[in-house]
Amino acid sequence: MGFQNGGCDLPFTGERVVPGKTPALLVLEHIIRYRFAARFADGARVLDAACGTGYGSSILAKKAKSVIGIDNSLETIRYARQNYSHRNLHYSIADCRLLPFHAGGFDLAVMFEAIEHIAEQEQCLIEIRRILDSKGILILSTPNATRPMKAVEEHNPFHSKELTDQEFLELLRRHFPHAQLLYQHEFSASAIQNTCGPTTELAEVVEDSTNAAGAKYFIAVCGAQPTKVSLTRTLGVVGIDHQIEIVQELRQSQNQIEALKRQRDQNDREYSQSLAMHQQDLQAKQEAIEALLRQREENDREFSQSLAMHKQELDAKQEAVEALLHQREENEREYAKNLAAHAEVISNLDRDLQAVRMELKWLYRWMPTNQLARKLFYGKNLRKRVLHALGLKS
């Protein structure tokens, strides 16, 4: 196949065939399609649309005049250039819906397992028809939408639309008047082989239980003119190693399943223990919450009682304050009465004092004219005392 490990690595995703990483049977079913297409490649200008990693382009290049492999993935084209190179083989990044080639530039176009990925299937076929010569041939394949394994396969998110054989033919014949449909099966076989004889002789098929409805893939040979397709059967054979790999994978899967079961049981036990611990913790927290609620209720009762007592004390103090205010008002009224009475007494005393002063003034003026009165008045300092009482100088 011309495989050259050029150092570029690609992961196996299940959609892209990477020899050495893809299961042998899956690689085989892709290779025999290219071996079949190589029958039409002698001296031809070939386009390998959606060439992938380039293993098929290298098969075609051994017979073709020139081969151009295209893919829309840069990393895939890099891998193809490094691992599958020929002097007449070139790779390019391109889209099947808009091919960067002039009309009629190819004699053969190959597109395997690609059209189901494209939503614009009509546009893709229009472009391929454009770049083919008037006698050019298109060979393409696609999965059978009603294949028996469809019921147990997971949905492929990379496929835009899968086709039945009738849908496939109707699509092709709108662009290629002549389209012949072939069926690719995947089946188990038992072979008798003479290792001493030539390995190129045809195999005799003594029993065949396959049918068209059970085909895994459809392969169509299309052209503007009728194309002769050999009736011989194209077979790809893998040895017992493939079955050994399957058994080993089944055993590994069984071991993994048992390990997963043990892990699940262990997880269940740990979960049960953890659940029991969480339940105990939850019960303890519930009891603590209930105790706190009871304590809060008790505190609420004590607070209510204390509040009632404080309210009673406050009411009593309020009454006492009101009584004191009433007493103060009463005292103020009595004080005002007493103050008025005292003021009246003082006023009377002032009037009496004025009268006495008037009398003393008169007496003071009268006494000097009477000899006896003067002696009496001035005797024993009486005069000074009277003058002093009157606020007069002696």
Side-chain angles (χ1 to χ4, degrees):
M1 290 176 57
F3 179 77
Q4 310 162 17
N5 189 358
C8 181
D9 193 21
L10 282 178
F12 173 60
T13 63
E15 281 297 298
R16 181 171 50 202
V17 174
V18 184
K21 294 185 178 181
T22 304
L25 186 60
L26 184 58
V27 174
L28 179 66
E29 66 186 19
H30 283 257
I31 288 177
I32 65 171
R33 286 195 284 265
Y34 278 103
R35 295 290 186 189
F36 172 77
R39 299 177 186 177
F40 303 85
D42 285 333
R45 299 165 298 171
V46 181
L47 172 68
D48 186 7
C51 66
T53 55
Y55 60 93
S57 300
S58 66
I59 293 174
L60 297 171
K62 293 177 182 179
K63 290 189 175 184
K65 178 181 178 180
S66 63
V67 177
I68 296 180
I70 65 168
D71 201 281
N72 61 0
S73 169
L74 175 60
E75 62 175 354
T76 304
I77 291 297
R78 286 175 176 172
Y79 182 91
R81 287 171 178 167
Q82 293 184 16
N83 292 280
Y84 297 99
S85 61
H86 289 275
R87 58 176 180 79
N88 62 338
L89 173 57
H90 303 279
Y91 296 101
S92 178
I93 299 174
D95 192 321
C96 295
R97 296 164 297 186
L98 186 62
L99 296 172
F101 308 111
H102 61 79
F106 295 91
D107 305 305
L108 174 66
V110 175
M111 186 169 68
F112 292 140
E113 302 307 294
I115 198 166
E116 66 275 4
H117 293 261
I118 302 171
E120 302 85 355
Q121 295 175 346
E122 296 277 357
Q123 177 61 28
C124 180
L125 292 175
I126 290 172
E127 277 294 281
I128 292 177
R129 181 70 186 86
R130 180 184 64 81
I131 58 94
L132 281 175
D133 183 79
S134 60
K135 296 182 180 180
I137 297 172
L138 166 64
I139 303 176
L140 72 165
S141 69
T142 191
N144 178 5
T146 59
R147 59 190 177 275
M149 289 296 291
K150 184 75 171 178
V152 295
E153 291 176 347
E154 295 183 358
H155 171 70
N156 192 325
F158 300 101
H159 287 187
S160 178
K161 182 182 181 183
E162 294 186 358
L163 304 165
T164 65
D165 53 355
Q166 190 62 36
E167 291 171 338
F168 194 33
L169 279 174
E170 290 176 358
L171 173 65
L172 294 172
R173 285 172 179 169
R174 287 197 289 271
H175 306 279
F176 296 91
H178 299 277
Q180 184 174 348
L181 196 62
L182 307 176
Y183 298 88
Q184 182 175 358
H185 295 269
E186 182 181 287
F187 53 86
S188 299
S190 180
I192 299 174
Q193 182 179 356
N194 182 357
T195 59
C196 297
T199 59
T200 58
E201 63 182 8
L202 298 176
E204 177 187 3
V205 180
V206 297
E207 187 68 31
D208 185 0
S209 59
T210 60
N211 56 73
K216 187 175 182 181
Y217 304 98
F218 302 133
I219 300 177
V221 180
C222 312
Q225 301 177 5
T227 302
K228 183 179 179 181
V229 179
S230 172
L231 297 179
T232 58
R233 181 177 300 212
T234 302
L235 295 176
V237 181
V238 292
I240 194 69
D241 292 343
H242 174 64
Q243 297 183 15
I244 292 174
E245 289 177 2
I246 293 176
V247 173
Q248 289 175 342
E249 289 178 359
L250 289 174
R251 287 178 178 173
Q252 291 176 358
S253 298
Q254 185 63 32
N255 293 335
Q256 291 175 355
I257 290 171
E258 291 176 357
L260 288 172
K261 286 182 177 178
R262 290 192 296 271
Q263 184 63 43
R264 185 193 64 184
D265 294 339
Q266 177 65 22
N267 291 341
D268 288 344
R269 287 192 295 270
E270 292 178 357
Y271 174 76
S272 298
Q273 294 174 356
S274 177
L275 181 61
M277 292 176 61
H278 283 301
Q279 287 176 340
Q280 292 176 357
D281 183 55
L282 183 62
Q283 182 65 28
K285 289 179 178 178
Q286 184 66 29
E287 292 175 356
I289 290 171
E290 291 176 354
L292 288 173
L293 290 174
R294 290 193 296 270
Q295 183 64 42
R296 190 188 70 176
E297 291 174 355
E298 180 65 23
N299 292 341
D300 288 345
R301 285 192 295 271
E302 293 179 356
F303 176 76
S304 298
Q305 294 174 358
S306 177
L307 182 63
M309 292 175 60
H310 285 299
K311 190 174 183 305
Q312 291 175 357
E313 292 178 359
L314 183 62
D315 291 342
K317 290 179 179 179
Q318 184 68 28
E319 292 175 357
V321 169
E322 291 178 354
L324 289 173
L325 290 173
H326 180 72
Q327 182 64 41
R328 188 186 70 175
E329 291 175 355
E330 183 67 25
N331 292 339
E332 288 177 350
R333 285 192 295 271
E334 291 180 359
Y335 174 76
K337 291 179 182 179
N338 293 332
L339 185 62
H342 290 153
E344 186 178 356
V345 170
I346 292 171
S347 178
N348 293 332
L349 291 175
D350 285 341
R351 286 194 297 273
D352 293 342
L353 180 61
Q354 290 296 331
V356 171
R357 283 182 174 178
M358 291 298 293
E359 291 178 359
L360 289 175
K361 284 182 178 181
W362 178 83
L363 181 62
Y364 178 72
R365 290 188 183 99
W366 173 76
M367 280 184 178
T369 61
N370 188 306
Q371 191 73 16
L372 178 61
R374 189 165 48 247
K375 290 181 179 180
L376 290 174
F377 183 74
Y378 288 102
K380 299 182 180 179
N381 296 323
L382 178 60
R383 180 176 178 276
K384 289 182 179 181
R385 289 196 299 270
V386 172
L387 292 174
H388 181 73
L390 293 175
L392 301 173
K393 295 181 179 180
S394 57

